[in-house]
């Protein structure tokens, strides 16, 4: 459902809901162990949330991205940097 909604949100230019949908898709992908896909979706959400000045949404995305780094390559240093960025 999120995938179908995404096309419509992009078409009407709703950037806030598009960012939320990317983030929701990323959370689902991460839970399925699809860490590369989740990382790409989180990065898409981060770009939009940054443009919107959505600091709370950015923190959530960076936290999710940190989890992806941990699951993707066991790169704890990268995961730590993402977690630190989420706190700032």
């Amino acid at each position: 459902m999120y995938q179908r909604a995404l096309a419509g949100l992009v078409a009407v230019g709703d950037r806030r809901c598009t960012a939320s949908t990317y983030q929701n898709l990323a959370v689902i992908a991460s839970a399925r162990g699809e860490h590369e896909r989740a990382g790409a979706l989180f990065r898409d959400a981060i770009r939009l949330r940054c443009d919107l000045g959505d600091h709370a949404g950015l923190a959530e995305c960076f936290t999710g991205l940190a989890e992806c780094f941990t699951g993707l390559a066991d790169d704890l240093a990268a995961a730590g940097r993402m977690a630190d960025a989420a706190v700032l």
Side-chain angles (χ1 to χ4, degrees):
M1 289 176 56
Y2 282 125
Q3 199 63 48
R4 282 186 273 160
L6 184 60
L9 294 168
V10 170
V12 299
D14 187 335
R15 295 169 65 212
R16 186 168 301 283
C17 287
T18 297
S20 293
T21 302
Y22 279 136
Q23 183 176 344
N24 291 334
L25 285 166
V27 169
I28 292 167
S30 184
R32 291 179 176 167
E34 300 168 1
H35 300 293
E36 287 184 36
R37 181 170 187 266
L41 289 162
F42 274 124
R43 285 188 293 275
D44 289 338
I46 286 169
R47 282 195 238 4
L48 286 172
R49 293 200 183 280
C50 187
D51 289 346
L52 295 167
D54 181 359
H55 300 289
L58 279 169
E60 292 173 1
C61 288
F62 280 125
T63 300
L65 191 57
E67 292 171 10
C68 288
F69 274 115
T70 302
L72 182 61
D74 292 325
D75 188 345
L76 297 179
R81 288 191 300 276
M82 290 296 108
D84 287 344
V87 175
L88 300 176

